[in-house]
Amino acid sequence: MSFYDVLQRGDDFIREYRPARSKLWNYVSHLTCLAAVGGSKLCLTLFYDVQVKGLANLDKGLAMARKQNRGFLTIMNHMSVCDDPFLWGCLPWRYFMDLDDIRWGLAASNVCFKTEAASTFFTLGKILSTERFGRGPFQGALDAAVRILSPDDTLDEKHIYQGSSSSKKVMTTSASPLGSSLVEHAKSFYSTTYTPPFLRYKTSWIHLFPEGYVCQLQAPYNNSMRFFRWGTARLILEPTVAPVIVPIFSDGFEKIVPETRDDSLVGSYAPPNMGATITVNIGKAIDDSVIESFREEWKKLCDRFHDVTNPDDLTHELKFGQEARELRSRVCAYLREKVAQLRVENGFEEEDPRFKSVDFWKKYTYSQGASDPDIKFVGLNWAVKSYQKGVHKYDEFGNIIQHASTNK
């Protein structure tokens, strides 16, 4: 259950980075994605042993999403900066022959969007610029992800929260973002007037690393995960229809780009750990009934906490209220457990129970590891803000209180 204004902000965010409905842009975007996948495939074929388990689950999940006119969402642990695009190098070429079949993703603005050239490259690669370190889940990239997972022909009164009947809006064109219309004409209006911000001919696929940061831990905790950040839950609760969700667990990408590298001449240029095994374990699509139960809880919260004078947007309570936050936490814990089950299937022992706790990770990060000295990262814990450059400082509601240029 989504809101008109959320979808509109998602449209606006996409238009900010992509030329509206440009066939030339789509062509260049497809070439960019193919080049990234091809380079990844070449490296993997030459230097590593790739094993993909459960590929049929990915086929079935994507086919289900397309047949039922739903978005497709894959979620995976984040072991290395090469997880994307090397994950796609493990898949057959048939997944990349159509631009609509290539995933959308999210990446850190202070890492992948630092320059105009980098921004253009990653935008052509279907990546959304996401701000970390306090910006929170209510930002343009997440609104855009909600919009991308909402099929264009479901932007109607059946799928979008209506609230007060005295204030019903429909999305129109980019020249006239929002306008009034009788609800009974909404469906025909959408099909004849509304112009989506990007060209697509199928429902879309988004791939997400819900941990938000690379997590490489030293033994015996290697290949464990952080908690899943709560913005992930927005992609389950807020699209106009529930996406089909497929969990993935990978191990071995951390051997391709370890957080610490050999600084010798050979170590600097030769692919690390040549011959290492890369395993990608793709699980079955998550039970729709569970996802729908979460979405029904969300709908009830919207009924209780929407603003009758402006029912077209998330209220403060729906963003930051205790019940809404608790629901997002449970959604993410459930998704994390599904990925953790695949981790065990890959031969790892059960995770240390501390790693499931949001409070543990917050305390561990704020203390820079002093709270639990037995747990050590390979390299740096990138969730520590002081280790990264080019990030703003935000208050608890995601408002900028200090710009990156003045950070010390």
Short mmCIF file of all heavy atoms in Angstrom, two decimals, residues 238-300:
data_model
loop_
_atom_site.label_atom_id
_atom_site.label_comp_id
_atom_site.label_asym_id
_atom_site.label_seq_id
_atom_site.Cartn_x
_atom_site.Cartn_y
_atom_site.Cartn_z
N GLU A 238 5.58 -0.90 0.82
CA GLU A 238 5.02 0.27 0.16
C GLU A 238 4.80 0.20 -1.34
O GLU A 238 4.10 1.06 -1.88
CB GLU A 238 5.89 1.50 0.47
CG GLU A 238 5.87 1.89 1.94
CD GLU A 238 6.62 3.18 2.19
OE1 GLU A 238 6.40 4.16 1.44
OE2 GLU A 238 7.45 3.22 3.12
N PRO A 239 5.37 -0.73 -2.11
CA PRO A 239 4.98 -0.79 -3.52
C PRO A 239 3.48 -1.03 -3.65
O PRO A 239 2.82 -1.57 -2.74
CB PRO A 239 5.79 -1.98 -4.05
CG PRO A 239 6.98 -2.04 -3.16
CD PRO A 239 6.45 -1.68 -1.80
N THR A 240 2.93 -0.65 -4.79
CA THR A 240 1.48 -0.78 -4.98
C THR A 240 1.02 -2.24 -4.90
O THR A 240 -0.10 -2.51 -4.48
CB THR A 240 1.07 -0.20 -6.33
OG1 THR A 240 1.90 -0.77 -7.36
CG2 THR A 240 1.25 1.32 -6.34
N VAL A 241 1.88 -3.16 -5.32
CA VAL A 241 1.61 -4.59 -5.15
C VAL A 241 2.87 -5.22 -4.55
O VAL A 241 3.98 -4.73 -4.76
CB VAL A 241 1.24 -5.29 -6.48
CG1 VAL A 241 -0.10 -4.79 -6.98
CG2 VAL A 241 2.32 -5.06 -7.53
N ALA A 242 2.71 -6.30 -3.81
CA ALA A 242 3.84 -6.94 -3.15
C ALA A 242 4.81 -7.51 -4.19
O ALA A 242 4.39 -8.20 -5.12
CB ALA A 242 3.35 -8.05 -2.24
N PRO A 243 6.10 -7.24 -4.06
CA PRO A 243 7.06 -7.85 -4.99
C PRO A 243 7.26 -9.32 -4.69
O PRO A 243 7.00 -9.79 -3.57
CB PRO A 243 8.34 -7.06 -4.71
CG PRO A 243 8.22 -6.64 -3.28
CD PRO A 243 6.75 -6.38 -3.06
N VAL A 244 7.70 -10.06 -5.68
CA VAL A 244 8.21 -11.42 -5.47
C VAL A 244 9.64 -11.26 -4.94
O VAL A 244 10.44 -10.54 -5.52
CB VAL A 244 8.19 -12.23 -6.77
CG1 VAL A 244 8.83 -13.59 -6.56
CG2 VAL A 244 6.76 -12.37 -7.29
N ILE A 245 9.95 -11.95 -3.83
CA ILE A 245 11.24 -11.74 -3.16
C ILE A 245 12.02 -13.05 -3.14
O ILE A 245 11.52 -14.08 -2.66
CB ILE A 245 11.02 -11.26 -1.71
CG1 ILE A 245 10.12 -10.02 -1.69
CG2 ILE A 245 12.36 -10.95 -1.04
CD1 ILE A 245 9.57 -9.68 -0.32
N VAL A 246 13.25 -13.01 -3.63
CA VAL A 246 14.12 -14.18 -3.66
C VAL A 246 15.38 -13.87 -2.87
O VAL A 246 16.09 -12.90 -3.19
CB VAL A 246 14.47 -14.59 -5.10
CG1 VAL A 246 15.58 -15.64 -5.12
CG2 VAL A 246 13.23 -15.13 -5.81
N PRO A 247 15.72 -14.66 -1.84
CA PRO A 247 16.95 -14.45 -1.08
C PRO A 247 18.14 -15.13 -1.74
O PRO A 247 18.00 -16.18 -2.39
CB PRO A 247 16.63 -15.10 0.27
CG PRO A 247 15.67 -16.21 -0.09
CD PRO A 247 14.87 -15.72 -1.27
N ILE A 248 19.32 -14.54 -1.57
CA ILE A 248 20.56 -15.10 -2.12
C ILE A 248 21.64 -14.98 -1.05
O ILE A 248 21.71 -13.99 -0.33
CB ILE A 248 21.01 -14.33 -3.39
CG1 ILE A 248 19.92 -14.38 -4.47
CG2 ILE A 248 22.32 -14.91 -3.94
CD1 ILE A 248 20.23 -13.49 -5.68
N PHE A 249 22.49 -16.01 -0.95
CA PHE A 249 23.69 -15.91 -0.11
C PHE A 249 24.89 -16.27 -0.97
O PHE A 249 24.88 -17.27 -1.69
CB PHE A 249 23.62 -16.84 1.10
CG PHE A 249 24.83 -16.70 1.99
CD1 PHE A 249 24.85 -15.74 2.99
CD2 PHE A 249 25.95 -17.50 1.81
CE1 PHE A 249 25.96 -15.58 3.80
CE2 PHE A 249 27.07 -17.34 2.62
CZ PHE A 249 27.08 -16.38 3.61
N SER A 250 25.92 -15.44 -0.89
CA SER A 250 27.14 -15.72 -1.65
C SER A 250 28.32 -15.78 -0.70
O SER A 250 28.35 -15.12 0.34
CB SER A 250 27.38 -14.62 -2.70
OG SER A 250 27.76 -13.41 -2.06
N ASP A 251 29.32 -16.58 -1.07
CA ASP A 251 30.61 -16.52 -0.40
C ASP A 251 31.70 -16.73 -1.44
O ASP A 251 31.51 -17.43 -2.43
CB ASP A 251 30.72 -17.54 0.74
CG ASP A 251 30.70 -18.98 0.26
OD1 ASP A 251 31.77 -19.48 -0.16
OD2 ASP A 251 29.63 -19.62 0.30
N GLY A 252 32.80 -16.05 -1.25
CA GLY A 252 33.92 -16.12 -2.17
C GLY A 252 34.25 -14.80 -2.83
O GLY A 252 35.40 -14.58 -3.23
N PHE A 253 33.29 -13.89 -2.95
CA PHE A 253 33.59 -12.58 -3.53
C PHE A 253 34.59 -11.81 -2.67
O PHE A 253 35.36 -11.00 -3.19
CB PHE A 253 32.32 -11.77 -3.73
CG PHE A 253 31.39 -12.30 -4.78
CD1 PHE A 253 30.07 -12.58 -4.50
CD2 PHE A 253 31.85 -12.53 -6.08
CE1 PHE A 253 29.22 -13.08 -5.46
CE2 PHE A 253 31.01 -13.03 -7.06
CZ PHE A 253 29.69 -13.31 -6.76
N GLU A 254 34.58 -12.11 -1.37
CA GLU A 254 35.54 -11.45 -0.49
C GLU A 254 36.97 -11.90 -0.79
O GLU A 254 37.94 -11.22 -0.40
CB GLU A 254 35.20 -11.74 0.98
CG GLU A 254 35.49 -13.14 1.47
CD GLU A 254 34.44 -14.18 1.06
OE1 GLU A 254 33.50 -13.82 0.31
OE2 GLU A 254 34.57 -15.34 1.49
N LYS A 255 37.13 -13.01 -1.51
CA LYS A 255 38.46 -13.47 -1.92
C LYS A 255 38.94 -12.73 -3.17
O LYS A 255 40.15 -12.63 -3.41
CB LYS A 255 38.44 -14.98 -2.16
CG LYS A 255 38.05 -15.79 -0.92
CD LYS A 255 37.83 -17.24 -1.25
CE LYS A 255 37.32 -18.01 -0.03
NZ LYS A 255 36.98 -19.42 -0.35
N ILE A 256 37.99 -12.25 -3.96
CA ILE A 256 38.36 -11.50 -5.16
C ILE A 256 38.83 -10.10 -4.79
O ILE A 256 39.83 -9.60 -5.31
CB ILE A 256 37.17 -11.43 -6.14
CG1 ILE A 256 36.75 -12.84 -6.58
CG2 ILE A 256 37.52 -10.58 -7.36
CD1 ILE A 256 35.54 -12.87 -7.48
N VAL A 257 38.08 -9.44 -3.90
CA VAL A 257 38.48 -8.12 -3.41
C VAL A 257 38.46 -8.14 -1.88
O VAL A 257 37.49 -7.69 -1.25
CB VAL A 257 37.57 -7.00 -3.95
CG1 VAL A 257 38.11 -5.63 -3.51
CG2 VAL A 257 37.49 -7.05 -5.47
N PRO A 258 39.50 -8.68 -1.27
CA PRO A 258 39.57 -8.65 0.20
C PRO A 258 39.79 -7.22 0.68
O PRO A 258 40.36 -6.39 -0.02
CB PRO A 258 40.77 -9.55 0.51
CG PRO A 258 41.61 -9.51 -0.72
CD PRO A 258 40.67 -9.35 -1.87
N GLU A 259 39.33 -6.94 1.88
CA GLU A 259 39.47 -5.60 2.43
C GLU A 259 40.92 -5.26 2.78
O GLU A 259 41.26 -4.10 2.96
CB GLU A 259 38.59 -5.44 3.67
CG GLU A 259 37.11 -5.33 3.34
CD GLU A 259 36.78 -4.06 2.59
OE1 GLU A 259 36.91 -2.97 3.16
OE2 GLU A 259 36.42 -4.17 1.39
N THR A 260 41.77 -6.27 2.90
CA THR A 260 43.21 -6.04 3.03
C THR A 260 43.89 -6.80 1.91
O THR A 260 43.56 -7.96 1.62
CB THR A 260 43.75 -6.55 4.38
OG1 THR A 260 43.40 -7.93 4.55
CG2 THR A 260 43.16 -5.75 5.52
N ARG A 261 44.86 -6.15 1.26
CA ARG A 261 45.50 -6.77 0.10
C ARG A 261 47.02 -6.78 0.28
O ARG A 261 47.60 -5.97 1.01
CB ARG A 261 45.16 -6.00 -1.18
CG ARG A 261 43.71 -6.16 -1.61
CD ARG A 261 43.54 -5.73 -3.05
NE ARG A 261 44.40 -6.51 -3.94
CZ ARG A 261 44.30 -6.45 -5.27
NH1 ARG A 261 43.41 -5.68 -5.84
NH2 ARG A 261 45.11 -7.16 -6.03
N ASP A 262 47.64 -7.68 -0.45
CA ASP A 262 49.10 -7.76 -0.50
C ASP A 262 49.61 -6.55 -1.28
O ASP A 262 49.21 -6.32 -2.43
CB ASP A 262 49.48 -9.06 -1.21
CG ASP A 262 50.99 -9.23 -1.33
OD1 ASP A 262 51.74 -8.35 -0.86
OD2 ASP A 262 51.40 -10.25 -1.91
N ASP A 263 50.48 -5.75 -0.68
CA ASP A 263 50.98 -4.53 -1.31
C ASP A 263 52.19 -4.77 -2.20
O ASP A 263 52.76 -3.81 -2.75
CB ASP A 263 51.33 -3.48 -0.25
CG ASP A 263 50.10 -2.96 0.47
OD1 ASP A 263 49.03 -2.94 -0.17
OD2 ASP A 263 50.20 -2.59 1.65
N SER A 264 52.61 -6.02 -2.36
CA SER A 264 53.74 -6.30 -3.24
C SER A 264 53.34 -6.04 -4.69
O SER A 264 52.17 -5.88 -5.02
CB SER A 264 54.18 -7.76 -3.09
OG SER A 264 53.17 -8.62 -3.58
N LEU A 265 54.32 -6.00 -5.58
CA LEU A 265 54.06 -5.74 -6.99
C LEU A 265 53.10 -6.76 -7.57
O LEU A 265 52.14 -6.43 -8.27
CB LEU A 265 55.37 -5.73 -7.77
CG LEU A 265 55.26 -5.41 -9.27
CD1 LEU A 265 54.72 -4.00 -9.46
CD2 LEU A 265 56.63 -5.56 -9.95
N VAL A 266 53.35 -8.04 -7.27
CA VAL A 266 52.47 -9.09 -7.78
C VAL A 266 51.10 -8.98 -7.15
O VAL A 266 50.06 -9.07 -7.82
CB VAL A 266 53.08 -10.49 -7.52
CG1 VAL A 266 52.09 -11.58 -7.92
CG2 VAL A 266 54.39 -10.65 -8.28
N GLY A 267 51.06 -8.76 -5.83
CA GLY A 267 49.78 -8.69 -5.14
C GLY A 267 48.94 -7.52 -5.56
O GLY A 267 47.70 -7.57 -5.48
N SER A 268 49.58 -6.44 -6.04
CA SER A 268 48.84 -5.25 -6.42
C SER A 268 48.14 -5.41 -7.77
O SER A 268 47.14 -4.74 -8.04
CB SER A 268 49.79 -4.05 -6.48
OG SER A 268 50.32 -3.78 -5.20
N TYR A 269 48.65 -6.28 -8.64
CA TYR A 269 48.11 -6.37 -10.00
C TYR A 269 47.53 -7.74 -10.34
O TYR A 269 46.66 -7.83 -11.21
CB TYR A 269 49.20 -6.01 -11.01
CG TYR A 269 49.64 -4.57 -10.90
CD1 TYR A 269 50.78 -4.22 -10.19
CD2 TYR A 269 48.90 -3.56 -11.50
CE1 TYR A 269 51.18 -2.89 -10.08
CE2 TYR A 269 49.27 -2.23 -11.39
CZ TYR A 269 50.42 -1.90 -10.68
OH TYR A 269 50.79 -0.58 -10.57
N ALA A 270 47.98 -8.78 -9.71
CA ALA A 270 47.43 -10.12 -9.99
C ALA A 270 46.11 -10.30 -9.24
O ALA A 270 45.95 -9.82 -8.12
CB ALA A 270 48.43 -11.19 -9.55
N PRO A 271 45.15 -10.99 -9.85
CA PRO A 271 43.91 -11.27 -9.14
C PRO A 271 44.18 -12.06 -7.86
O PRO A 271 44.88 -13.08 -7.89
CB PRO A 271 43.12 -12.12 -10.15
CG PRO A 271 43.70 -11.77 -11.47
CD PRO A 271 45.16 -11.51 -11.22
N PRO A 272 43.67 -11.62 -6.72
CA PRO A 272 43.93 -12.31 -5.45
C PRO A 272 43.29 -13.70 -5.42
O PRO A 272 42.26 -13.94 -6.05
CB PRO A 272 43.29 -11.40 -4.40
CG PRO A 272 43.06 -10.09 -5.09
CD PRO A 272 42.86 -10.41 -6.53
N ASN A 273 43.90 -14.60 -4.71
CA ASN A 273 43.31 -15.92 -4.42
C ASN A 273 42.83 -16.64 -5.67
O ASN A 273 41.72 -17.18 -5.71
CB ASN A 273 42.16 -15.77 -3.42
CG ASN A 273 42.59 -15.14 -2.12
OD1 ASN A 273 43.51 -15.62 -1.45
ND2 ASN A 273 41.95 -14.04 -1.75
N MET A 274 43.66 -16.62 -6.70
CA MET A 274 43.26 -17.29 -7.95
C MET A 274 42.94 -18.76 -7.70
O MET A 274 43.62 -19.43 -6.93
CB MET A 274 44.38 -17.16 -8.99
CG MET A 274 44.50 -15.76 -9.57
SD MET A 274 45.65 -15.66 -10.95
CE MET A 274 47.22 -15.87 -10.09
N GLY A 275 41.88 -19.23 -8.33
CA GLY A 275 41.42 -20.60 -8.16
C GLY A 275 40.41 -20.78 -7.05
O GLY A 275 39.87 -21.89 -6.88
N ALA A 276 40.15 -19.71 -6.29
CA ALA A 276 39.20 -19.81 -5.19
C ALA A 276 37.79 -20.10 -5.71
O ALA A 276 37.44 -19.75 -6.84
CB ALA A 276 39.19 -18.51 -4.38
N THR A 277 37.00 -20.75 -4.88
CA THR A 277 35.63 -21.08 -5.24
C THR A 277 34.69 -19.94 -4.85
O THR A 277 34.73 -19.43 -3.73
CB THR A 277 35.17 -22.37 -4.54
OG1 THR A 277 36.01 -23.44 -4.97
CG2 THR A 277 33.72 -22.69 -4.87
N ILE A 278 33.85 -19.54 -5.79
CA ILE A 278 32.80 -18.55 -5.56
C ILE A 278 31.47 -19.30 -5.59
O ILE A 278 31.13 -19.94 -6.58
CB ILE A 278 32.79 -17.46 -6.66
CG1 ILE A 278 34.21 -16.94 -6.94
CG2 ILE A 278 31.81 -16.36 -6.29
CD1 ILE A 278 34.87 -16.30 -5.77
N THR A 279 30.72 -19.23 -4.49
CA THR A 279 29.45 -19.95 -4.41
C THR A 279 28.30 -18.97 -4.28
O THR A 279 28.30 -18.09 -3.40
CB THR A 279 29.43 -20.90 -3.20
OG1 THR A 279 30.54 -21.79 -3.29
CG2 THR A 279 28.13 -21.70 -3.16
N VAL A 280 27.33 -19.10 -5.15
CA VAL A 280 26.10 -18.29 -5.11
C VAL A 280 24.93 -19.24 -4.88
O VAL A 280 24.66 -20.11 -5.72
CB VAL A 280 25.91 -17.49 -6.41
CG1 VAL A 280 24.58 -16.72 -6.36
CG2 VAL A 280 27.07 -16.54 -6.64
N ASN A 281 24.28 -19.10 -3.75
CA ASN A 281 23.16 -19.98 -3.38
C ASN A 281 21.87 -19.17 -3.45
O ASN A 281 21.66 -18.24 -2.67
CB ASN A 281 23.38 -20.53 -1.97
CG ASN A 281 22.38 -21.62 -1.62
OD1 ASN A 281 21.54 -22.00 -2.44
ND2 ASN A 281 22.47 -22.14 -0.41
N ILE A 282 21.00 -19.52 -4.38
CA ILE A 282 19.75 -18.79 -4.61
C ILE A 282 18.60 -19.57 -4.00
O ILE A 282 18.37 -20.74 -4.36
CB ILE A 282 19.52 -18.57 -6.12
CG1 ILE A 282 20.73 -17.86 -6.74
CG2 ILE A 282 18.24 -17.79 -6.36
CD1 ILE A 282 20.71 -17.85 -8.25
N GLY A 283 17.88 -18.96 -3.09
CA GLY A 283 16.79 -19.63 -2.41
C GLY A 283 15.47 -19.54 -3.16
O GLY A 283 15.35 -18.86 -4.19
N LYS A 284 14.48 -20.20 -2.64
CA LYS A 284 13.13 -20.14 -3.21
C LYS A 284 12.48 -18.81 -2.85
O LYS A 284 12.83 -18.17 -1.86
CB LYS A 284 12.28 -21.29 -2.67
CG LYS A 284 12.75 -22.67 -3.10
CD LYS A 284 11.84 -23.76 -2.55
CE LYS A 284 12.30 -25.14 -3.00
NZ LYS A 284 11.44 -26.22 -2.44
N ALA A 285 11.52 -18.40 -3.67
CA ALA A 285 10.79 -17.16 -3.40
C ALA A 285 10.13 -17.24 -2.03
O ALA A 285 9.60 -18.27 -1.62
CB ALA A 285 9.74 -16.93 -4.48
N ILE A 286 10.19 -16.14 -1.31
CA ILE A 286 9.63 -16.08 0.04
C ILE A 286 8.11 -16.19 -0.02
O ILE A 286 7.45 -15.66 -0.92
CB ILE A 286 10.07 -14.78 0.73
CG1 ILE A 286 11.58 -14.85 1.00
CG2 ILE A 286 9.31 -14.54 2.02
CD1 ILE A 286 12.17 -13.60 1.59
N ASP A 287 7.55 -16.88 0.95
CA ASP A 287 6.12 -17.17 1.03
C ASP A 287 5.30 -15.88 0.92
O ASP A 287 5.42 -14.97 1.74
CB ASP A 287 5.84 -17.86 2.37
CG ASP A 287 4.42 -18.38 2.47
OD1 ASP A 287 3.56 -17.98 1.65
OD2 ASP A 287 4.15 -19.17 3.40
N ASP A 288 4.42 -15.82 -0.10
CA ASP A 288 3.59 -14.64 -0.30
C ASP A 288 2.68 -14.35 0.88
O ASP A 288 2.39 -13.18 1.18
CB ASP A 288 2.73 -14.81 -1.55
CG ASP A 288 3.51 -14.53 -2.83
OD1 ASP A 288 4.58 -13.91 -2.75
OD2 ASP A 288 3.04 -14.95 -3.91
N SER A 289 2.22 -15.39 1.55
CA SER A 289 1.29 -15.18 2.65
C SER A 289 1.93 -14.41 3.79
O SER A 289 1.29 -13.59 4.46
CB SER A 289 0.73 -16.51 3.15
OG SER A 289 1.77 -17.31 3.73
N VAL A 290 3.21 -14.66 4.03
CA VAL A 290 3.93 -13.93 5.08
C VAL A 290 4.08 -12.46 4.69
O VAL A 290 3.85 -11.55 5.50
CB VAL A 290 5.30 -14.56 5.35
CG1 VAL A 290 6.08 -13.75 6.38
CG2 VAL A 290 5.15 -16.01 5.80
N ILE A 291 4.46 -12.23 3.44
CA ILE A 291 4.63 -10.85 2.97
C ILE A 291 3.30 -10.10 3.02
O ILE A 291 3.23 -8.94 3.45
CB ILE A 291 5.20 -10.84 1.54
CG1 ILE A 291 6.56 -11.54 1.52
CG2 ILE A 291 5.30 -9.43 1.01
CD1 ILE A 291 7.58 -10.97 2.48
N GLU A 292 2.23 -10.76 2.62
CA GLU A 292 0.92 -10.11 2.65
C GLU A 292 0.47 -9.81 4.08
O GLU A 292 -0.20 -8.81 4.33
CB GLU A 292 -0.12 -10.96 1.93
CG GLU A 292 0.04 -10.99 0.42
CD GLU A 292 -0.11 -9.62 -0.24
OE1 GLU A 292 -0.64 -8.68 0.41
OE2 GLU A 292 0.30 -9.48 -1.40
N SER A 293 0.85 -10.65 5.03
CA SER A 293 0.49 -10.37 6.42
C SER A 293 1.22 -9.13 6.92
O SER A 293 0.63 -8.30 7.65
CB SER A 293 0.82 -11.57 7.31
OG SER A 293 2.22 -11.77 7.44
N PHE A 294 2.48 -8.95 6.53
CA PHE A 294 3.20 -7.73 6.88
C PHE A 294 2.53 -6.51 6.23
O PHE A 294 2.37 -5.46 6.87
CB PHE A 294 4.65 -7.81 6.42
CG PHE A 294 5.53 -8.70 7.26
CD1 PHE A 294 6.41 -9.60 6.65
CD2 PHE A 294 5.51 -8.64 8.65
CE1 PHE A 294 7.23 -10.41 7.42
CE2 PHE A 294 6.33 -9.47 9.42
CZ PHE A 294 7.18 -10.35 8.80
N ARG A 295 2.14 -6.65 4.98
CA ARG A 295 1.52 -5.52 4.27
C ARG A 295 0.15 -5.18 4.85
O ARG A 295 -0.26 -4.02 4.86
CB ARG A 295 1.41 -5.84 2.77
CG ARG A 295 2.77 -5.77 2.06
CD ARG A 295 2.68 -6.27 0.63
NE ARG A 295 1.76 -5.51 -0.20
CZ ARG A 295 2.11 -4.43 -0.90
NH1 ARG A 295 3.34 -3.96 -0.87
NH2 ARG A 295 1.21 -3.81 -1.66
N GLU A 296 -0.56 -6.19 5.35
CA GLU A 296 -1.84 -5.92 5.99
C GLU A 296 -1.63 -5.15 7.28
O GLU A 296 -2.41 -4.23 7.61
CB GLU A 296 -2.56 -7.23 6.26
CG GLU A 296 -3.95 -7.06 6.86
CD GLU A 296 -4.91 -6.25 6.01
OE1 GLU A 296 -4.75 -6.25 4.76
OE2 GLU A 296 -5.80 -5.59 6.58
N GLU A 297 -0.58 -5.48 8.04
CA GLU A 297 -0.25 -4.70 9.23
C GLU A 297 0.04 -3.25 8.86
O GLU A 297 -0.35 -2.31 9.57
CB GLU A 297 0.96 -5.31 9.95
CG GLU A 297 0.69 -6.60 10.70
CD GLU A 297 1.89 -6.99 11.54
OE1 GLU A 297 2.26 -6.22 12.46
OE2 GLU A 297 2.47 -8.06 11.28
N TRP A 298 0.78 -3.08 7.77
CA TRP A 298 1.11 -1.72 7.31
C TRP A 298 -0.16 -0.95 6.94
O TRP A 298 -0.31 0.22 7.28
CB TRP A 298 2.06 -1.81 6.12
CG TRP A 298 2.33 -0.52 5.41
CD1 TRP A 298 1.98 -0.18 4.14
CD2 TRP A 298 3.02 0.63 5.94
NE1 TRP A 298 2.41 1.08 3.84
CE2 TRP A 298 3.04 1.60 4.93
CE3 TRP A 298 3.60 0.91 7.17
CZ2 TRP A 298 3.64 2.85 5.10
CZ3 TRP A 298 4.20 2.15 7.36
CH2 TRP A 298 4.21 3.11 6.34
N LYS A 299 -1.07 -1.62 6.24
CA LYS A 299 -2.34 -0.97 5.87
C LYS A 299 -3.10 -0.52 7.11
O LYS A 299 -3.67 0.59 7.14
CB LYS A 299 -3.18 -1.94 5.05
CG LYS A 299 -4.59 -1.47 4.71
CD LYS A 299 -4.60 -0.20 3.88
CE LYS A 299 -5.97 0.04 3.28
NZ LYS A 299 -7.07 0.10 4.25
N LYS A 300 -3.12 -1.33 8.13
CA LYS A 300 -3.83 -0.96 9.36
C LYS A 300 -3.16 0.24 10.04
O LYS A 300 -3.85 1.12 10.59
CB LYS A 300 -3.88 -2.15 10.31
CG LYS A 300 -4.79 -3.28 9.82
CD LYS A 300 -4.77 -4.46 10.77
CE LYS A 300 -5.66 -5.59 10.26
NZ LYS A 300 -5.62 -6.78 11.15
#
